[in-house]
Amino acid sequence: ARSRTVGELLAPTSPFDKKCGRENWTVAFAPDGSYFAWSQGHRIVKLVPWSQCLNNFLLHGTKNVANSISTRLPRQNSDSGQKNKPCEHIIDCGDIVWSLAFGSSVPEKQSRCVNIEWHRFKFGQDQLLLATGLNNGRIKIWDVYTGKLLLNLMDHTEVVRDLTFAPDGSLILVSASRDKTLRVWDLKDDGNMMKVLRGHQNWVYGCAFSPDSSILCSVGASKAVFLWDMDKYSMIRKLEGHHNDVVACEFSPDGALLATASYDTRVYVWDPHIGVILMEFGHLFPPPTPIFAGGANDRWVRSVSFSHDGLHVASLADDKMVRFWRIDEEYPVQVAPLNNGLCCTFSTDGSVLAAGQDGSVYFWATPRQVSSLQHLCRMAIRRVMPTNQVKNLPIPSKVVEFLCYQI
């Protein structure tokens, strides 16, 4: 089935714009669904209120030029402090933008630092931050409501390829870089760098937190998939199975599954607790043998995203296709065409998939179905129980297999 197009945000073109440099490497939705951000290529990040964006798609059809949207969205006066009215911002980051991440604060969540009273920033409940990872190794932190620069984090020596905030509202930020390291920053401690995670022998392409913020997955060149304990900042295990660089990863909403995308033309769905591959989604048929480990470079998988229903995974590959998979089916349930796609992510409510390409963004309606009561119960149990605990439950083996996503 073909996926239905919802809309598109097209980057403005100018006569001097060349193809290179216009790559859109990153798209992101705010945790509360209020904003959408994407890199327009070069140094520019565009921030738009998502609800007004959707209204524009409905009013004006699917086509939407990113520059013309400003005529329909009110611009915010930074002095007015109207945080209740989301407004668009165009942010010049000063260097090519490779990664974006939204972070929101929960004041009760204690910072891990001492001397809390000496801080420049006291982030409250209504704070929404945008982190941008740049070509020169810097990470810039922006206030989403005003578009103002708050912090400039400098420690990486190479491109900051990915960023992820802990979902627990602690404002712990992890950055993945081509300098082969991951760095852990505490924004409640004015962006103090807490830890350097070393283990990758080559570029680190991506990182993702588990929903309870206890585990971090990092992926990179040379088939690397690492899991880290974020309480002890130690490596838990390395997941073996990919045959080429691994470029993207994401946990399922209950934390029981982990999806990884690789240049070996495959997406694997793992049980991260025991390091076993549960599902393989192939983008080249027949799949390449380990001798030709790299696969075909026109089938490299660039991005993967887990839907919020816990049942669907979206993947984006160099064969000009976006695919929607069900975790219990071998073949895609929906597809959509996209040239030069580099990144994709589901909206906060899971109803829309956003994919970036050449400075523009395209949106598709995602496969929707009512989850079964069994699946909802499984997700509720798996949010609080790792695989080993589930296997020790005094219940029938078939139920254990279902709870462990092995059926």
Side-chain angles (χ1 to χ4, degrees):
R2 282 285 284 269
S3 188
R4 179 175 61 84
T5 304
V6 174
E8 53 195 44
L9 293 171
L10 305 177
T13 53
S14 48
F16 52 83
D17 252 343
K18 300 285 183 261
K19 191 78 171 169
C20 61
R22 278 288 297 279
E23 290 92 352
N24 175 355
W25 287 102
T26 176
V27 290
F29 286 94
D32 61 358
S34 59
Y35 273 90
F36 174 72
W38 79 101
S39 64
Q40 284 197 336
H42 307 302
R43 316 165 0 167
I44 304 302
V45 168
K46 192 77 179 277
L47 260 170
V48 294
W50 177 236
S51 60
Q52 295 180 36
C53 216
L54 276 178
N55 289 340
N56 283 335
F57 292 152
L58 293 171
L59 286 172
H60 304 277
T62 61
K63 295 229 181 264
N64 202 335
V65 178
N67 258 15
S68 69
I69 204 172
S70 58
T71 59
R72 295 188 289 274
L73 298 181
R75 286 197 171 277
Q76 177 168 329
N77 179 350
S78 57
D79 299 327
S80 66
Q82 290 178 311
K83 291 190 177 178
N84 56 340
K85 269 194 167 182
C87 298
E88 75 161 77
H89 297 286
I90 297 172
I91 296 172
D92 185 342
C93 295
D95 205 343
I96 294 170
V97 181
W98 284 84
S99 49
L100 290 173
F102 282 98
S104 56
S105 173
V106 178
E108 304 78 53
K109 193 78 186 173
Q110 281 303 308
S111 170
R112 298 191 187 189
C113 59
V114 234
N115 293 335
I116 200 97
E117 65 274 6
W118 296 106
H119 290 157
R120 291 163 55 205
F121 298 108
K122 289 185 171 59
F123 295 118
Q125 180 72 62
D126 61 348
Q127 192 79 38
L128 186 59
L129 305 176
L130 179 71
T132 54
L134 307 181
N135 197 63
N136 57 12
R138 294 190 177 191
I139 301 164
K140 292 187 175 179
I141 311 294
W142 309 82
D143 184 320
V144 169
Y145 300 121
T146 63
K148 288 180 178 173
L149 178 64
L150 300 178
L151 288 166
N152 198 347
L153 310 180
M154 296 176 283
D155 217 71
H156 282 296
T157 55
E158 286 279 350
V159 170
V160 180
R161 191 62 188 81
D162 199 16
L163 293 164
T164 182
F165 275 97
D168 61 6
S170 60
L171 288 185
I172 298 294
L173 173 69
V174 175
S175 53
S177 170
R178 285 185 183 172
D179 65 13
K180 307 176 188 175
T181 68
L182 297 135
R183 291 173 195 260
V184 186
W185 314 81
D186 186 351
L187 296 197
K188 287 193 175 178
D189 190 12
D190 286 348
N192 180 41
M193 193 189 71
M194 302 158 62
K195 201 73 185 172
V196 181
L197 302 179
R198 302 182 194 277
H200 286 269
Q201 300 302 307
N202 288 289
W203 289 2
V204 191
Y205 279 105
C207 54
F209 268 103
S210 63
D212 65 359
S213 305
S214 66
I215 298 174
L216 180 84
C217 175
S218 63
V219 297
S222 307
K223 317 173 201 174
V225 182
F226 294 166
L227 294 177
W228 307 83
D229 181 325
M230 291 308 285
D231 290 324
K232 301 173 185 168
Y233 301 118
S234 59
M235 192 184 295
I236 301 171
R237 64 170 56 87
K238 186 176 179 180
L239 302 181
E240 307 274 358
H242 279 296
H243 302 294
N244 202 339
D245 294 1
V246 191
V247 293
C249 59
E250 191 163 31
F251 283 89
S252 62
D254 59 2
L257 303 173
L258 170 70
T260 55
S262 169
Y263 289 165
D264 67 9
T265 74
R266 299 171 175 93
V267 167
Y268 284 148
V269 178
W270 310 76
D271 183 326
H273 301 286
I274 55 176
V276 171
I277 297 170
L278 299 176
M279 284 290 293
E280 176 184 328
F281 300 135
H283 296 66
L284 178 64
F285 301 97
T289 60
I291 297 172
F292 301 101
N297 61 6
D298 61 346
R299 295 289 192 283
W300 283 2
V301 189
R302 293 281 179 179
S303 185
V304 67
S305 184
F306 234 113
S307 171
H308 301 264
D309 63 7
L311 283 174
H312 293 92
V313 173
S315 67
L316 195 152
D318 281 350
D319 62 356
K320 304 177 182 175
M321 296 292 280
V322 178
R323 292 172 174 83
F324 295 93
W325 311 78
R326 263 185 70 102
I327 58 168
D328 51 4
E329 291 185 24
E330 200 175 339
Y331 299 103
V333 290
Q334 282 186 19
V335 295
L338 180 70
N339 286 344
N340 304 324
L342 292 171
C343 56
C344 67
T345 189
F346 281 95
S347 61
T348 310
D349 65 358
S351 64
V352 172
L353 183 83
Q357 168 244 29
D358 294 341
S360 300
V361 194
Y362 297 84
F363 301 92
W364 291 277
T366 58
R368 298 310 295 268
Q369 59 192 91
V370 179
S371 297
S372 69
L373 189 56
Q374 290 102 313
H375 175 64
L376 294 173
C377 291
R378 171 169 61 183
M379 287 181 70
I381 291 168
R382 291 314 307 269
R383 277 191 175 94
V384 295
M385 274 194 152
T387 306
N388 295 332
Q389 287 183 24
V390 172
K391 289 192 169 179
N392 290 331
L393 290 173
I395 53 177
S397 59
K398 280 286 179 198
V399 179
V400 171
E401 286 176 16
F402 178 77
L403 291 176
C404 294
Y405 289 90
Q406 289 171 354
I407 293 181

